[in-house]
Coordinates of all heavy atoms in Angstrom, one line a residue:
R24 N 129.0 80.7 126.3 CA 130.3 80.5 126.8 C 131.2 79.9 125.7 O 132.4 80.3 125.5 CB 130.3 79.7 128.1 CG 129.8 80.4 129.3 CD 130.2 79.6 130.6 NE 129.5 78.3 130.6 CZ 128.4 78.1 131.2 NH1 127.7 79.1 131.8 NH2 127.8 76.9 131.2
W25 N 130.7 78.8 125.1 CA 131.5 78.1 124.1 C 131.7 79.1 122.9 O 132.9 79.1 122.3 CB 130.7 76.9 123.6 CG 131.1 75.7 124.4 CD1 130.4 75.1 125.4 CD2 132.2 74.9 124.2 NE1 131.0 74.0 125.9 CE2 132.2 73.8 125.2 CE3 133.3 74.9 123.3 CZ2 133.1 72.8 125.3 CZ3 134.3 73.9 123.4 CH2 134.2 72.9 124.4
L26 N 130.7 79.8 122.5 CA 130.9 80.7 121.3 C 131.9 81.8 121.6 O 132.7 82.1 120.7 CB 129.6 81.3 120.9 CG 128.5 80.3 120.4 CD1 127.2 80.9 120.1 CD2 129.1 79.6 119.1
V27 N 132.0 82.3 122.8 CA 132.9 83.3 123.1 C 134.3 82.8 123.1 O 135.3 83.4 122.6 CB 132.6 84.0 124.5 CG1 133.8 84.9 124.9 CG2 131.3 84.8 124.4
V28 N 134.5 81.6 123.7 CA 135.8 80.9 123.7 C 136.3 80.6 122.2 O 137.4 80.9 121.8 CB 135.8 79.6 124.5 CG1 137.1 78.9 124.4 CG2 135.6 80.0 126.0
L29 N 135.3 80.1 121.4 CA 135.7 79.8 120.0 C 136.0 81.0 119.2 O 136.8 81.0 118.3 CB 134.5 79.0 119.4 CG 134.3 77.6 120.0 CD1 133.0 77.0 119.3 CD2 135.5 76.7 119.8
L30 N 135.3 82.1 119.5 CA 135.6 83.4 118.9 C 137.0 83.8 119.1 O 137.7 84.3 118.2 CB 134.6 84.5 119.3 CG 134.8 85.9 118.7 CD1 134.5 85.8 117.2 CD2 133.9 86.9 119.4
G31 N 137.5 83.7 120.4 CA 138.9 84.0 120.7 C 139.9 83.1 120.0 O 140.9 83.5 119.5
L32 N 139.5 81.8 119.9 CA 140.4 80.9 119.3 C 140.5 81.1 117.8 O 141.6 81.0 117.2 CB 139.9 79.4 119.5 CG 140.1 78.9 120.9 CD1 139.5 77.5 121.1 CD2 141.5 78.9 121.4
Q33 N 139.4 81.5 117.2 CA 139.4 81.7 115.7 C 140.2 82.9 115.3 O 140.7 83.0 114.2 CB 137.9 81.9 115.2 CG 137.8 81.8 113.8 CD 136.3 81.6 113.4 OE1 135.4 82.1 114.1 NE2 136.0 81.0 112.3
S34 N 140.5 83.9 116.2 CA 141.3 85.0 115.9 C 142.8 84.6 115.8 O 143.6 85.4 115.3 CB 141.1 86.1 117.0 OG 141.6 85.6 118.2
I35 N 143.1 83.4 116.2 CA 144.5 83.0 116.0 C 144.9 82.9 114.6 O 146.1 83.0 114.2 CB 144.7 81.6 116.7 CG1 144.4 81.7 118.2 CG2 146.1 81.1 116.5 CD1 144.5 80.4 119.0
S36 N 143.9 82.6 113.7 CA 144.2 82.5 112.3 C 144.8 83.8 111.7 O 145.6 83.8 110.8 CB 142.9 82.1 111.5 OG 141.9 83.1 111.7
S37 N 144.4 85.0 112.3 CA 145.0 86.2 111.8 C 146.5 86.3 112.1 O 147.3 86.8 111.3 CB 144.3 87.4 112.4 OG 144.4 87.4 113.8
F38 N 146.9 85.7 113.3 CA 148.3 85.7 113.6 C 149.1 84.8 112.7 O 150.2 85.0 112.3 CB 148.5 85.3 115.1 CG 147.9 86.3 116.1 CD1 146.7 86.0 116.7 CD2 148.6 87.4 116.4 CE1 146.1 86.9 117.6 CE2 148.0 88.3 117.3 CZ 146.8 88.1 117.9
V39 N 148.4 83.7 112.3 CA 149.1 82.7 111.4 C 149.3 83.4 110.0 O 150.4 83.3 109.5 CB 148.2 81.5 111.2 CG1 148.8 80.6 110.1 CG2 148.1 80.7 112.5
L40 N 148.3 84.1 109.5 CA 148.5 84.8 108.2 C 149.5 85.9 108.3 O 150.2 86.1 107.3 CB 147.1 85.3 107.8 CG 146.1 84.3 107.4 CD1 144.8 85.0 107.0 CD2 146.6 83.4 106.2
S41 N 149.6 86.6 109.4 CA 150.5 87.7 109.5 C 152.0 87.2 109.6 O 152.9 87.8 109.1 CB 150.3 88.5 110.8 OG 150.4 87.7 112.0
S42 N 152.2 86.0 110.1 CA 153.5 85.4 110.1 C 153.9 84.9 108.7 O 155.1 84.7 108.5 CB 153.6 84.2 111.1 OG 152.7 83.2 110.7

Side-chain angles (χ1 to χ4, degrees):
R24 287 194 297 266
W25 270 98
L26 293 175
V27 170
V28 172
L29 294 177
L30 180 65
L32 292 176
Q33 197 166 25
S34 63
I35 298 177
S36 59
S37 61
F38 296 101
V39 174
L40 292 176
S41 63
S42 63

